[in-house]
Amino acid sequence: MSGFDVVIIGGGPGGYNAAIRAGQLGMTAACVDKRGVFGGTCLNVGCIPSKALLHTSELFDEARNHFPKLGIKAEVSLDLAGMMAHKTKVVGELTRGVEFLLKKNKAEGIVGEAVIAGAGRVDVKLPNGQSRTLETKNIVIATGSDVMGLPGVTIDEDRIVSSTGAIALKEVPKRLLVVGGGYIGLELGSVWRRLGAEVLVVEFLDRITPGLDSEIGKQFQRILQKQGIKFQLSTKVVGVEKASDALRVTVEPAAGGAPQTIETDIMLVSIGRRAYTDNLGVANASVKLDARGRVVTDVHFRTNVPGIWAIGDAREGPMLAHKAEDEAVACIENIAGRAGHVNYDAIPAVVYTAPEVASVGKTEEELKAAGINYKVGKFPFTANARAKTIAATDGFVKMLADAKTDRVLGVHILGAEAGNLIAEAALAIEFGASSEDIARTSHAHPTLTETVRQAAMAVEGWAMQM
Ligand SMILES: Cc1cc2nc3c(=O)[nH]c(=O)nc-3n(C[C@H](O)[C@H](O)[C@H](O)COP(=O)(O)OP(=O)(O)OC[C@H]3O[C@@H](n4cnc5c(N)ncnc54)[C@H](O)[C@@H]3O)c2cc1C
């Protein structure tokens, strides 16, 4: 038996950042994860391995298809095992880094499966079969999420894979069918397309990436099509037959109609993720879940049971690593009696394809639906000097500002380095900046950041470089 101020269940970006912040604030903390390695979905099978493959596959594609246009001659061939080795090395370094950070902040990292026995008590099944009971003033549920399955389809992580199998394929498939046109499917589809697979994305809705501003989404889809990714929208997968030579996937129009069979070698199921609270013992403490299995909390991350809190993918909101991290900090600060808070309007979201897509704040559709009057400023990457020098002229920046106050309400970027460029927009929204604040801020030349400034100028109709 041991007593803690806080026991955190889950060692992903939510859990490990909660443990670090607890240590910084002088609390005794334990962080329990059953995976055997800290870092959660993000470091082990999510953000990090996918971004390693996105980077290396992009370099491969650049070298093969774009170097000649830039005056570089190179003989390029693929070493898939080497690419995977780079991915594994990066994951190993970062997960060891999390262990180091837990120790540095005097949080105890415990490998084992945690079950909430009741408020103030967590039982941990250790890998050696023994168990350990942790007594604690507070429990933070940070158990994250898991792959959502497709009814009637068994994921074998061999030919029918989730994202976890799709980042570890042993060879480049000739044909890859991606079920779901969300960011994970598009990122992983891009990886294998660049490495030579024929990629078809089947999406239930009539558009890809439904959360994105629709103008950005449409142009994004056109660019992916130019790269060779095919799309079949408004279509649902209803079954799959595993023949020895191929997978025969049955699809139907989403609205109903005649079925069609598509043959493929690998099928990636990426239709979303679900909050993961399996075998956690939430019922032992009567912790309330919503209809989608997410832990219900108030804005302070308190569940219905005093002393039990929840953060990250296990509760509502966008399933993003930095959202889990932000909630971790705010939750621990609330436990410490401070005023932790997360501004959900200023959380950026990024799709790490080439070009990248990034957004923060409201989309044009959301503003229309809310009846808010707004102004729009747009600026294309073709008109940016740096974009020309690096031969990355696809895309545009779209800024939405309040028609009366000029306050920035949303920024949406399709273009090179969008994931980095969006940080300025997130800061602007967090600080309540106006588009004029951005337009009058000096931006180094020649940089891609000037696209954001020019879009801000365009809000008031004085973009100078187009
Ligand atoms: C392929 C892919 C790519 C992604 N890319 C990005 C990206 O680029 N950017 C981004 O922001 N997000 C990305 N995400 C999403 C991101 O990984 C998640 O939003 C993030 O990991 C959520 O953090 P979390 O701490 O809430 O949960 P998780 O990271 O899921 O961690 C939860 C941990 O809890 C452990 N656990 C669960 N139950 C128990 C228990 N009973 N006892 C002990 N341990 C338990 C699990 O083993 C897991 O390690 C990606 C996800 C995937 C799948």
Side-chain angles (χ1 to χ4, degrees):
M1 294 272 241
S2 42
F4 290 94
D5 291 321
V6 55
V7 168
I8 300 141
I9 306 177
Y16 77 75
N17 281 300
I20 291 169
R21 190 73 186 119
Q24 287 175 342
L25 296 181
M27 294 185 215
T28 52
C31 181
V32 189
D33 199 297
K34 63 179 180 178
R35 193 182 288 273
V37 184
F38 287 90
T41 304
C42 174
L43 268 66
N44 289 286
V45 292
C47 328
I48 298 305
S50 62
K51 263 81 257 178
L53 290 179
L54 278 156
H55 177 66
T56 48
S57 64
E58 190 177 343
L59 289 182
F60 177 70
D61 182 59
E62 284 276 313
R64 223 169 36 155
N65 298 317
H66 303 289
F67 274 13
K69 292 180 222 157
L70 304 175
I72 305 167
K73 287 185 183 167
E75 289 273 320
V76 182
S77 61
L78 176 65
D79 169 12
L80 184 60
M83 242 179 216
M84 293 293 173
H86 165 71
K87 175 199 77 173
T88 307
K89 180 170 164 278
V90 171
V91 168
E93 284 170 4
L94 289 172
T95 54
R96 282 193 297 280
V98 171
E99 270 177 45
F100 163 79
L101 290 172
L102 291 178
K103 278 200 193 100
K104 183 182 162 204
N105 290 284
K106 299 191 176 51
E108 187 177 348
I110 301 172
V111 173
E113 181 165 10
V115 178
I116 301 172
R121 235 188 74 194
V122 174
D123 291 334
V124 184
K125 283 184 228 154
L126 301 170
N128 62 9
Q130 294 183 341
S131 66
R132 178 174 165 192
T133 296
L134 311 174
E135 297 217 324
T136 178
K137 291 184 194 135
N138 296 280
I139 296 170
V140 175
I141 299 172
T143 48
S145 60
D146 197 7
V147 170
M148 194 137 61
L150 196 59
V153 174
T154 308
I155 293 175
D156 58 20
E157 298 298 11
D158 178 31
R159 293 161 72 196
I160 304 177
V161 297
S162 70
S163 55
T164 303
I167 55 168
L169 296 180
K170 300 271 182 309
E171 55 188 57
V172 179
K174 187 167 171 315
R175 298 163 297 184
L176 171 68
L177 183 103
V178 178
V179 189
Y183 81 91
I184 293 178
L186 298 177
E187 287 183 2
L188 296 177
S190 291
V191 165
W192 294 107
R193 173 70 209 108
R194 292 167 191 164
L195 300 183
E198 291 164 19
V199 176
L200 169 66
V201 178
V202 173
E203 164 60 49
F204 183 85
L205 299 174
D206 60 0
R207 53 168 299 188
I208 59 168
T209 50
L212 284 183
D213 187 276
S214 75
E215 190 182 7
I216 293 268
K218 278 189 199 127
Q219 190 158 336
F220 180 38
Q221 187 183 336
R222 279 198 287 273
I223 290 173
L224 292 177
Q225 277 163 336
K226 270 205 304 201
Q227 294 172 2
I229 297 182
K230 296 197 170 77
F231 292 92
Q232 196 162 328
L233 304 180
S234 306
T235 303
K236 63 181 173 194
V237 169
V238 292
V240 55
E241 182 207 330
K242 278 164 99 175
S244 58
D245 59 331
L247 297 172
R248 298 209 168 80
V249 183
T250 310
V251 300
E252 276 176 16
Q260 175 204 350
T261 303
I262 301 171
E263 289 204 351
T264 189
D265 302 304
I266 301 282
M267 176 164 118
L268 161 60
V269 179
S270 53
I271 57 167
R273 296 180 63 82
R274 61 172 187 95
Y276 183 78
T277 51
D278 300 5
N279 309 320
L280 178 63
V282 278
N284 297 337
S286 306
V287 174
K288 230 165 109 186
L289 304 183
D290 68 12
R292 289 165 63 180
R294 302 174 299 189
V295 181
V296 177
T297 74
D298 63 10
V299 290
H300 307 294
F301 312 103
R302 290 183 297 218
T303 69
N304 58 310
V305 182
I308 304 187
W309 312 68
I311 57 172
D313 282 9
R315 69 179 291 280
E316 68 173 317
M319 288 187 171
L320 293 170
H322 45 285
K323 176 261 194 187
E325 176 183 349
D326 294 344
E327 291 184 346
V329 169
C331 174
I332 293 296
E333 290 180 351
N334 287 334
I335 290 174
R338 299 186 177 202
H341 172 72
V342 175
N343 176 3
Y344 290 94
D345 274 335
I347 295 183
V350 181
V351 190
Y352 295 85
T353 43
E356 292 179 346
V357 187
S359 63
V360 64
K362 302 280 187 244
T363 63
E364 201 167 347
E365 293 75 42
E366 285 170 335
L367 293 179
K368 275 189 187 138
I372 295 170
N373 289 329
Y374 59 91
K375 299 173 286 184
V376 186
K378 288 188 217 165
F379 189 79
F381 275 62
T382 35
N384 174 267
R386 186 60 181 272
K388 286 230 185 264
T389 63
I390 63 170
T393 51
D394 274 340
F396 64 102
V397 177
K398 175 172 177 178
M399 188 172 292
L400 303 163
D402 189 283
K404 216 162 132 195
T405 64
D406 193 32
R407 189 176 173 143
V408 178
L409 300 174
V411 178
H412 308 277
I413 308 175
L414 169 68
E417 298 288 332
N420 287 327
L421 298 180
I422 203 70
E424 174 180 11
L427 192 69
I429 290 181
E430 185 68 39
F431 282 19
S434 63
S435 78
E436 188 179 357
D437 288 328
I438 298 177
R440 295 195 183 276
T441 298
S442 185
H443 287 64
H445 176 76
T447 62
L448 297 174
T449 66
E450 290 172 284
T451 58
V452 177
R453 182 187 199 181
Q454 292 288 325
M457 289 171 160
V459 169
E460 293 289 333
W462 61 290
M464 296 170 70
Q465 287 163 15
M466 65 169 181

